[in-house]
Amino acid sequence: MSTATPIQKFDITAEEIDALVGLFYQRIRAHPMLGPIFARAIASQDGPEWRAHEARIAAFWRNAIGIDRSYDGNPMQVHRANRDIHPGMFSTWLDLFHMTAAEVLSPEKAANMSALAERIGQSLRYGVTTRDEQRGAPPILR
Ligand code: HEM
């Protein structure tokens, strides 16, 4: 049965997004390369700051999918401004996201979420790459 509204890009519920986001950031916190970057930007321990971040991320996904319009941020600006984030990290982030989506969602919903994450991820990676080039430094590709 489809629960999608006409403006939704594909069928997924807010509850399914919450489940995916919760498990994904649990794994991010434990990740040897990505965990420390998020610990610096959000909080070193799990707690209220992390719940607020996850709520913001869930709103971002609902906005990207067309479920609602409550997200008001600018991810490109945020990722370009964070000097810990480098282009070569996106494939690791995306691999973890795809793995988690495949565990939490049906195959069709996981494929749709993963395709959307890939598109947004390529765009953010490009933004971070050109930031590094604008500083006059050769881009770090690892
Ligand atoms: C190299 C991979 C990535 C890293 C290391 C990373 C890291 C971070 C960090 C540390 C923050 C917290 C804000 C801050 O830095 O001040 C953040 C925010 C965010 N990230 Fe990422 N990110 C990555 C990729 C992605 C991708 C691929 C997406 C979407 C598909 C995404 C979506 C977001 C969103 C929506 C926010 C919240 C922005 C806001 O405050 O409105 N990130 N990210």
Side-chain angles (χ1 to χ4, degrees):
M1 189 190 79
S2 171
T3 54
T5 65
I7 55 156
Q8 242 179 274
K9 289 178 187 160
F10 53 86
D11 178 27
I12 190 166
T13 66
E15 291 71 25
E16 287 168 325
I17 293 171
D18 287 345
L20 170 59
V21 166
L23 184 57
F24 178 67
Y25 286 96
Q26 186 182 316
R27 289 175 173 173
I28 283 277
R29 284 192 291 277
H31 192 277
M33 178 177 80
L34 299 173
I37 298 174
F38 283 86
R40 268 195 291 280
I42 295 161
S44 55
Q45 299 292 319
D46 193 13
E49 296 89 352
W50 272 100
R51 293 299 84 72
H53 179 70
E54 287 160 8
R56 203 168 166 75
I57 296 291
F60 160 80
W61 284 114
R62 294 197 306 275
N63 179 71
I65 295 159
I67 297 174
D68 68 44
R69 293 276 173 256
S70 60
Y71 178 68
D72 65 351
N74 184 335
M76 182 61 84
Q77 213 167 56
V78 166
H79 293 84
R80 283 175 68 107
N82 188 323
R83 298 291 184 186
D84 292 337
I85 303 175
H86 296 287
M89 295 172 177
F90 281 89
S91 59
T92 305
W93 190 106
L94 287 164
D95 284 350
L96 192 60
F97 188 88
H98 299 329
M99 196 182 85
T100 311
E103 280 176 46
V104 170
L105 304 173
S106 70
E108 193 192 338
K109 289 173 185 180
N112 282 323
M113 279 301 280
S114 279
L116 186 56
E118 275 295 328
R119 282 204 299 280
I120 299 168
Q122 301 307 332
S123 153
L124 292 177
R125 173 162 59 194
Y126 181 75
V128 169
T129 305
T130 55
R131 169 204 70 193
D132 289 345
E133 284 164 2
Q134 278 161 15
R135 277 191 306 173
I140 301 166
L141 296 174
R142 72 189 134 74

